[in-house]
Amino acid sequence: MIKNFFKIYLRIIKRYPLYSILNISGMAIGMACAILILLWVQNELSYDRYYKNADRLYRVVQNFTYEGRTQSSAATPYPLASALKEEFPEIIRSTRYQNAGATFTKGDNIVEGGLAFVDNDFFEMFDIEFVQGDKANALDEPYNIIITEKMAKRYFGNENVLGKTMTVWPNYLLKVSGVIRNVPLNSHFTIDCISTFAFNNVKYLGNSNPNVFNEWTNVFNYTFVELLKGSDNKLVEGKIKDIIQKKANGQNAEIFLQNVKNIHLYSNGRYAYDIESGNILYVRLMSLFAFLILTIACINFMNLTTAQSFRRAKEIGVRKMAGANRRKIVFQFLGETLLIVFIAHLIAMILVELVFPSFNTFLFSRLELNYKSAGLYIVLITVILFCGLLAGSYPAMHLSSLKPANILKGIIDKNIGNVKFRKILVILQFSLSFILIISTLIIRCQLNYMRSEQLRPNMNNLVHFEFTNGIQRETLKEALGRNPDILSVTITDHQNVLNNWTSVKGIDWKGKKDGDDILFSVLNTDKDYAKTFQLELTKGSFLSVGEFSMDNTDVVINEKAAEIMGFSDPIGETISFNGINFKIMGVVKNFHFKTLHAAIEPLIIAPIFPTSIGGICYVKIKPDHIASTLSEIRKICKSNNMDYTLEFKFLDDDYASTYWLEQKAGILLGYLTILAIIISCLGLIGLSTFMTVHRTKEIGIRKANGAKPIEIISLLSKEYIKLVVVSFIIAAPIAWYTTNIWLRGFAYRINIGWWFYVLAIIIVISIITLTVGIQSYNAARKRPVEALRYE
Amino acid sequence: MIEITKLTKVFRADKVETTALDRVSFKAEQGEFVAIMGPSGCGKSTLLNILGLLDTPSDGQYYFMDKEVSKFSENEMTDIRKGNIGFIFQSFNLIDELNVYENVELPLLYLRMSSKERKKKVNEVLERMQISHRKGHFPQQLSGGQQQRVAIARAVVSSPKLILADEPTGNLDSTNGEEVIKLLEKLNSEGTTIIMVTHSQVHAEKAHRIVHLFDGHIVTENNKE
């Protein structure tokens, strides 16, 4: 019997190749998209779940509240980790964690790698496996370094590396005290090398303050804790809040313990270092898109299959007469659908294989297409069953319900329910297409808006590089300033201009309300910052010197800070921090120094402290002379005893990278929308071919009675236009609602204008004109006699 | 009213050429009732389709009301057809999705007549065809005779000068067939030109003149008067 079914189906493919190609290819494209997306989603959801105590591992997050608005930060005071373990029995392990950029050098070569700083408990908590060395004392010496097998191979080749020395730029020598297994790709930690906080202090703080680790107001690193089994989170959160309040001058941030499994998807770039993290919103959005695309593909299938049902009707009639009951027919058609879906999935996997490398590169993801992993088969089986059952159920139910007597009398085409159902399916398909098109347009627009110049400081042709020694800041500026192709130079402390800004609490000013505990961003720089970044001053003047001294305590604030402090005229007012009084001498217009996700935060611009060494040098270059000027800069640096490799970065690249997730999502969404439209078109072509054939006689009669081609075209298209209008009415509010949710993630966003909707309608109508219109035109142009001849 | 000279129609299917009409000449005056007879496949329907501007000839001339129309475009043919020619088919050719009233109304819609006028005309003609009691019904709910009366109603509703009937009685029993012929005679007596293809000698006798077609040629024309 099954053989008989297959035989019939294979003959149908042969007899109606166009129909079969449309059916299978639409399904295959839809499935390929869904498989890719689901593999990605599966990977996103798997982050940080593999630690044996993952359920009890938490990151300490502080929530600051100011006038009802909450500001979160995962940066916590230096001494917190050790204090927690000492004082609370519920916390059995704790570690600090900080991740910083580092450049490793070997001779003249740069070896890329990240450098993390942790405490000893880290290894136990996060299942770090040592291949060489001893985890108990690997971090005992300040200049020790632990590296992954991959890093060992990259830096040393295949040697036995324990005890060997690595150079951290510019000239720190670290001794390898351990080799660990590579950290799995689905860990939010991206670790190549691990060193000690003591070294961190030397490298980044110039060892200026050996007591830095005891300062509760220094908020640089993350704190991870492992709770005792059965501990109450809420209770522990309260205790942590109390200890911070006690130690750090009455700060009263709310504390919340973020489970390690949630870090990757639920941090949303709110905390420093998490810039390249995932986002649950996109996981949900993409899953939704996978579902939508599969649904569109299934609708196609249902449409085409039921539209063709008259071709199968006779077979069903005969089968029923020969004794098949309804269940047998249902199984036959479900089986047939599963067979098609299975064929489609083979084609889909070929497509997936083809685009997989580019998909990975595109998303910066490191997904693997592993035919031995259960995950892949879970995805495939889910997709096949979903499609097989969804696409097969209606045709099977419909075809099996046909009455043999009617079939043999030839009256099945008038099955009105069938036509209605097909209309509903087409409406659903159009609605989904509308939602996809409108959302893509809006998302694209928001992305363009963020790239637009008006909200951020001018970053064009702005190159920066970090230096730590070899030259005085003023000397370097002077040397660079002599080059005619350099428009201006400014130096900041070791802070990236887009993230990682130092945030400080405990700032006081006249009239500060009790309980206001506000995090201010602080930028340490020199007098040329405003010129280089083209900041606009609204009041007073900018910094006049490069370095802080007790004679020169001038600072500049932004409008937001002025608003918070509530000064009617901030110029000349005093703010104090750590016992030092600073004088406000200017206010700059608000500018975006962080991503547009966040509202503009209060900012204090102060001179660089003389104790810090080096900094980041920002150079604004004339547009046409970039390459030559870069080599000039290299020469100047070399001649000033900075004989190490400089790493030049362009600020607009940095800026773009802070939105990489949105950018990628926007582009991916665009592709998905195009694919969804293509799949819908395949379905429309099939459906309208069928409809036109079905209505040939009617067209002939109408023409014989005086209808012109244009009237026939409008008759055939009217149906679709009606469906488009209904679909639009359904889709518009849904698209509006969903995109609004997405836009809410941005403090600065576009308004959704009416033209998005108009454009979507124009796109859909053009598509229909192309697919349906051409066929209608052909049908309408035929001489009526051709339509009436064969009856 | 219509005149064709040396009209030829060749059909091409794959590599086979079939000459359906071979240099046929024929003329019909205003108010005539002409019957066309001949065996299956002799070209009767092809001739009727060309006369009705549903198809174009491969060669030859066709004058419709003194206009040479054989090279007309689809749009121009439609313009001539509209309001001038009514069709009656053997298989009725009613649109299944439209009811009796809407089927009859169809030609008036394409003539862009006002709805009031349409209503008046459709009701009038339904009355005349004695089918008004069925105007809300759909074609498949009617008997063959009733369906053909609806088809005739549709053919005459726009008061065309020419009615082309392709075996109008072919699918009907003798009583209903008789009635259809009576209706056509009545229309003819009111001044409509009628050209009818038929297999029935009895029905052909009602016409003024019978044209015999054989293998694409007109073999005889017997003028009864």
Side-chain angles (χ1 to χ4, degrees):
Chain A
M1 186 59 103
I2 287 175
K3 214 173 118 195
N4 176 295
F5 290 159
F6 280 141
K7 207 156 65 188
I8 284 193
Y9 186 66
L10 291 177
R11 283 180 190 164
I12 285 173
I13 294 183
K14 243 165 103 181
R15 216 163 116 202
Y16 306 107
L18 173 77
Y19 156 75
S20 309
I21 288 170
L22 289 177
N23 223 349
I24 294 178
S25 57
M27 195 57 118
I29 296 174
M31 288 175 99
C33 287
I35 291 169
L36 272 182
I37 293 174
L38 290 180
L39 284 175
W40 177 79
V41 166
Q42 207 177 36
N43 181 58
E44 287 292 295
L45 293 176
S46 74
Y47 268 73
D48 297 304
R49 289 183 181 268
Y50 63 91
Y51 315 120
K52 57 181 182 296
N53 294 328
D55 287 333
R56 291 185 280 125
L57 295 174
Y58 295 92
R59 181 166 74 169
V60 180
V61 177
Q62 306 193 74
N63 289 327
F64 301 97
T65 309
Y66 158 69
E67 287 183 352
R69 264 192 17 225
T70 305
Q71 218 180 337
S72 297
S73 171
T76 39
Y78 261 138
L80 183 66
S82 59
L84 290 179
K85 194 173 146 188
E86 261 164 43
E87 299 202 13
F88 304 130
E90 294 95 329
I91 293 170
I92 51 177
R93 291 193 183 88
S94 72
T95 177
R96 292 173 291 178
Y97 175 84
Q98 194 172 343
N99 199 341
T103 310
F104 298 90
T105 54
K106 193 180 186 187
D108 283 338
N109 299 324
I110 290 182
V111 183
E112 282 186 42
L115 183 56
F117 304 97
V118 305
D119 294 319
N120 245 336
D121 278 350
F122 183 83
F123 307 124
E124 194 56 45
M125 289 165 74
F126 296 103
D127 302 357
I128 303 289
E129 196 187 329
F130 275 69
V131 186
Q132 296 174 40
D134 179 7
K135 77 168 91 170
N137 52 28
L139 289 180
D140 282 358
E141 299 294 324
Y143 287 86
N144 276 0
I145 188 166
I146 298 163
I147 63 178
T148 61
E149 289 177 304
K150 208 156 106 194
M151 189 66 189
K153 207 166 170 191
R154 210 188 295 160
Y155 192 90
F156 295 105
N158 258 333
E159 301 166 58
N160 183 6
V161 299
L162 210 59
K164 298 219 159 149
T165 309
M166 284 171 87
T167 314
V168 173
W169 179 86
N171 49 17
Y172 300 107
L173 296 177
L174 299 182
K175 196 179 87 188
V176 178
S177 60
V179 177
I180 55 173
R181 289 236 185 277
N182 297 329
V183 175
L185 298 177
N186 56 354
S187 162
H188 85 279
F189 298 114
T190 44
I191 291 176
D192 296 313
C193 307
I194 296 172
S195 186
T196 65
F197 271 94
F199 173 59
N200 177 25
N201 190 20
V202 172
K203 181 174 190 289
Y204 293 96
L205 302 169
N207 207 7
S208 54
N209 178 4
N211 286 327
V212 66
F213 295 136
N214 301 324
E215 289 288 346
W216 281 80
T217 44
N218 273 327
V219 179
F220 292 113
N221 64 281
Y222 291 170
T223 303
F224 286 92
V225 296
E226 180 177 339
L227 297 192
L228 193 69
K229 233 180 217 158
S231 315
D232 179 2
N233 283 7
K234 284 271 157 284
L235 213 72
V236 177
E237 283 169 359
K239 286 183 175 179
I240 299 176
K241 182 185 169 181
D242 291 343
I243 193 173
I244 293 181
Q245 202 164 21
K246 201 168 74 197
K247 304 269 189 184
N249 321 328
Q251 284 178 15
N252 60 348
E254 289 300 323
I255 295 297
F256 131 79
L257 292 176
Q258 182 184 30
N259 188 276
V260 69
K261 288 183 291 187
N262 294 335
I263 290 178
H264 178 66
L265 290 176
Y266 293 87
S267 299
N268 200 4
R270 275 177 301 176
Y271 322 118
Y273 314 146
D274 280 339
I275 295 296
E276 288 197 11
S277 76
N279 187 336
I280 189 67
L281 181 66
Y282 289 103
V283 171
R284 288 186 184 139
L285 256 182
M286 296 293 269
S287 309
L288 184 69
F289 269 57
F291 173 75
L292 292 185
I293 283 198
L294 272 189
T295 308
I296 289 178
C298 289
I299 288 175
N300 255 359
F301 186 92
M302 285 193 251
N303 253 334
L304 287 171
T305 312
T306 46
Q308 304 278 330
S309 61
F310 72 102
R311 286 187 177 150
R312 304 295 299 276
K314 205 163 143 201
E315 179 198 334
I316 295 160
V318 173
R319 277 187 194 279
K320 280 199 168 175
M321 277 195 314
N325 58 17
R326 189 165 177 190
R327 220 177 59 196
K328 280 231 170 71
I329 308 265
V330 167
F331 277 125
Q332 180 191 344
F333 282 97
L334 270 183
E336 235 182 72
T337 312
L338 278 172
L339 177 68
I340 303 172
V341 167
F342 190 78
I343 297 173
H345 121 272
L346 294 178
I347 299 171
M349 279 314 289
I350 297 174
L351 293 176
V352 168
E353 280 280 4
L354 286 177
V355 300
F356 203 71
S358 10
F359 182 75
N360 254 340
T361 325
F362 175 73
L363 276 182
F364 302 145
S365 60
R366 289 160 292 186
L367 296 180
E368 285 163 343
L369 204 54
N370 182 358
Y371 288 100
K372 282 178 196 153
S373 86
L376 176 67
Y377 293 101
I378 291 171
V379 166
L380 289 183
I381 291 169
T382 315
V383 169
I384 290 175
L385 284 183
F386 176 86
C387 292
L389 295 179
L390 178 62
S393 55
Y394 178 73
M397 295 313 281
H398 167 67
L399 288 171
S400 64
S401 72
L402 299 177
K403 296 211 166 46
N406 289 348
I407 294 170
L408 299 174
K409 267 191 271 169
I411 42 175
I412 49 143
D413 274 352
K414 285 126 205 165
N415 190 330
I416 289 174
N418 179 9
V419 173
K420 254 190 202 154
F421 185 75
R422 279 212 302 273
K423 277 189 184 163
I424 293 173
L425 290 181
V426 173
I427 288 176
L428 201 64
Q429 221 175 10
F430 281 155
S431 304
L432 296 180
S433 302
F434 265 125
I435 294 174
L436 287 174
I437 293 171
I438 296 172
S439 340
T440 306
L441 286 175
I442 289 174
I443 289 171
R444 281 295 181 94
C445 228
Q446 171 72 19
L447 293 176
N448 282 339
Y449 173 73
M450 293 192 305
R451 254 178 269 144
S452 68
E453 300 285 320
Q454 50 199 339
L455 286 152
R456 57 177 171 116
N458 191 328
M459 297 179 183
N460 295 334
N461 311 312
L462 202 50
V463 151
H464 60 97
F465 59 92
E466 190 169 11
F467 65 104
T468 50
N469 61 356
I471 192 166
Q472 287 293 311
R473 282 186 284 264
E474 284 309 316
T475 322
L476 177 66
K477 277 180 73 175
E478 208 185 311
L480 291 175
R482 279 197 291 268
N483 185 316
D485 290 330
I486 291 177
L487 298 171
S488 76
V489 183
T490 185
I491 292 174
T492 70
D493 210 346
H494 296 274
Q495 304 149 335
N496 186 317
V497 76
L498 290 168
N499 49 59
N500 264 347
W501 285 47
T502 312
S503 295
V504 293
K505 292 182 289 182
I507 288 185
D508 269 318
W509 63 88
K510 204 169 72 195
K512 182 184 178 183
K513 273 183 242 130
D514 281 349
D516 267 0
D517 194 10
I518 298 151
L519 217 53
F520 283 82
S521 292
V522 176
L523 167 67
N524 296 101
T525 186
D526 58 35
K527 61 182 167 55
D528 293 317
Y529 189 87
K531 184 181 160 206
T532 312
F533 283 83
Q534 294 175 1
L535 302 186
E536 222 177 287
L537 273 170
T538 52
K539 277 190 185 114
S541 54
F542 202 71
L543 303 177
S544 52
V545 292
E547 279 184 5
F548 171 84
S549 68
M550 285 320 279
D551 301 330
N552 174 41
T553 57
D554 293 344
V555 292
V556 172
I557 59 175
N558 70 351
E559 291 172 326
K560 182 75 201 171
E563 180 198 323
I564 287 173
M565 292 173 183
F567 295 130
S568 56
D569 181 15
I571 308 298
E573 295 285 351
T574 302
I575 56 177
S576 64
F577 175 62
N578 269 358
I580 303 171
N581 289 330
F582 296 86
K583 201 175 96 212
I584 300 173
M585 65 173 312
V587 179
V588 289
K589 203 166 172 223
N590 284 336
F591 65 101
H592 277 281
F593 51 93
K594 290 188 177 175
T595 77
L596 289 194
H597 289 288
I600 286 174
E601 288 169 16
L603 171 73
I604 297 169
I605 302 175
I608 305 179
F609 283 87
T611 44
S612 91
I613 297 165
I616 299 177
C617 182
Y618 293 86
V619 184
K620 183 121 185 153
I621 303 173
K622 277 188 186 161
D624 300 328
H625 302 83
I626 296 194
S628 60
T629 313
L630 288 186
S631 60
E632 271 309 305
I633 295 174
R634 254 183 238 286
K635 261 187 227 157
I636 294 169
C637 291
K638 202 147 197 165
S639 66
N640 282 288
N641 294 332
M642 295 159 68
D643 49 353
Y644 40 82
T645 322
L646 296 178
E647 224 187 318
F648 290 116
K649 284 178 184 162
F650 283 89
L651 203 57
D652 23 15
D653 292 346
D654 293 1
Y655 186 78
S657 76
T658 59
Y659 295 114
W660 79 275
L661 193 61
E662 283 84 3
Q663 298 245 15
K664 298 282 171 179
I667 295 169
L668 205 60
L669 229 57
Y671 282 133
L672 285 179
T673 306
I674 291 170
L675 283 177
I677 290 172
I678 290 175
I679 298 172
S680 301
C681 282
L682 291 180
L684 269 186
I685 291 172
L687 195 63
S688 63
T689 310
F690 166 75
M691 293 290 264
T692 321
V693 171
H694 186 69
R695 295 179 76 171
T696 304
K697 183 184 145 198
E698 184 191 337
I699 294 168
I701 297 170
R702 284 183 184 273
K703 290 195 78 175
N705 280 291
K708 286 191 176 180
I710 184 76
E711 284 162 320
I712 297 294
I713 292 174
S714 81
L715 173 82
L716 292 175
S717 314
K718 215 165 66 190
E719 293 274 315
Y720 288 97
I721 302 296
K722 257 192 259 168
L723 297 180
V724 167
V725 171
V726 175
S727 315
F728 180 75
I729 292 170
I730 295 172
I734 299 175
W736 182 84
Y737 180 75
T738 45
T739 43
N740 249 320
I741 289 181
W742 182 78
L743 283 175
R744 250 179 260 153
F746 297 91
Y748 298 87
R749 51 187 177 248
I750 51 163
N751 288 317
I752 303 180
W754 54 270
W755 68 267
F756 285 110
Y757 298 96
V758 175
L759 198 60
I761 289 189
I762 292 173
I763 292 174
V764 169
I765 291 194
S766 324
I767 291 164
I768 290 174
T769 313
L770 279 178
T771 48
V772 180
I774 291 172
Q775 287 188 46
S776 307
Y777 177 71
N778 284 335
R781 258 193 25 195
K782 273 191 198 154
R783 286 192 203 124
V785 65
E786 288 174 47
L788 294 170
R789 191 180 299 140
Y790 314 99
E791 284 153 19
Chain B
M1 180 182 196
I2 54 179
E3 183 174 2
I4 54 173
T5 41
K6 291 184 183 165
L7 198 89
T8 299
K9 179 69 182 179
V10 180
F11 289 109
R12 283 182 193 84
D14 289 329
K15 283 163 194 163
V16 188
E17 275 196 6
T18 319
T19 308
L21 295 174
D22 190 5
R23 283 164 289 158
V24 172
S25 299
F26 165 81
K27 211 170 158 180
E29 299 298 336
Q30 179 94 44
E32 259 198 300
F33 185 169
V34 183
I36 300 174
M37 292 191 76
S40 291
C42 70
K44 301 181 302 276
S45 295
T46 307
L47 178 61
L48 207 65
N49 285 334
I50 293 175
L51 292 179
L53 293 162
L54 295 177
D55 204 354
T56 48
S58 312
D59 198 16
Q61 282 89 48
Y62 176 15
Y63 292 91
F64 184 88
M65 304 211 295
D66 301 328
K67 248 184 238 151
E68 156 65 320
V69 296
S70 63
K71 302 283 185 300
F72 268 25
S73 74
E74 188 53 50
N75 267 331
E76 290 168 314
M77 293 203 292
T78 308
D79 282 335
I80 300 268
R81 242 174 11 233
K82 256 201 269 195
N84 283 320
I85 307 175
F87 293 91
I88 302 167
F89 302 93
Q90 177 182 9
S91 54
F92 323 132
N93 272 337
L94 299 172
I95 296 177
D96 297 330
E97 285 77 17
L98 302 181
N99 65 24
V100 167
Y101 181 92
E102 291 159 346
N103 262 296
V104 174
E105 190 189 28
L106 203 60
L108 304 182
L109 281 175
Y110 292 119
L111 282 171
R112 314 221 175 268
M113 208 170 264
S114 75
S115 90
K116 208 173 131 194
E117 212 174 328
R118 285 203 308 266
K119 201 169 167 188
K120 194 174 140 238
K121 289 216 171 208
V122 174
N123 283 330
E124 246 173 50
V125 77
L126 288 176
E127 203 66 48
R128 246 167 81 199
M129 298 295 146
Q130 296 167 2
I131 195 91
S132 1
H133 59 296
R134 292 286 193 151
K135 67 179 170 190
H137 287 69
F138 286 89
Q140 59 273 37
Q141 296 168 315
L142 302 177
S143 74
Q146 289 169 326
Q147 289 193 41
Q148 193 59 299
R149 287 218 294 278
V150 176
I152 296 173
R154 184 181 63 190
V156 303
V157 71
S158 60
S159 322
K161 299 187 180 65
L162 172 67
I163 284 183
L164 298 170
D166 192 353
E167 297 191 40
T169 59
N171 274 355
L172 300 176
D173 60 53
S174 55
T175 328
N176 275 314
E178 211 57 52
E179 239 177 274
V180 165
I181 295 300
K182 273 190 194 140
L183 275 170
L184 291 179
E185 280 187 284
K186 190 159 170 269
L187 286 168
N188 179 245
S189 69
E190 288 161 10
T192 315
T193 312
I194 292 176
I195 298 175
M196 170 176 80
V197 166
T198 181
H199 275 135
S200 157
Q201 187 65 40
V202 183
H203 294 158
E205 293 295 336
K206 311 282 185 183
H208 301 153
R209 149 165 93 98
I210 304 175
V211 174
H212 287 275
L213 263 179
F214 185 78
D215 219 3
H217 301 273
I218 290 180
V219 285
T220 49
E221 278 193 54
N222 21 356
N223 218 327
K224 289 171 64 206
E225 266 96 337

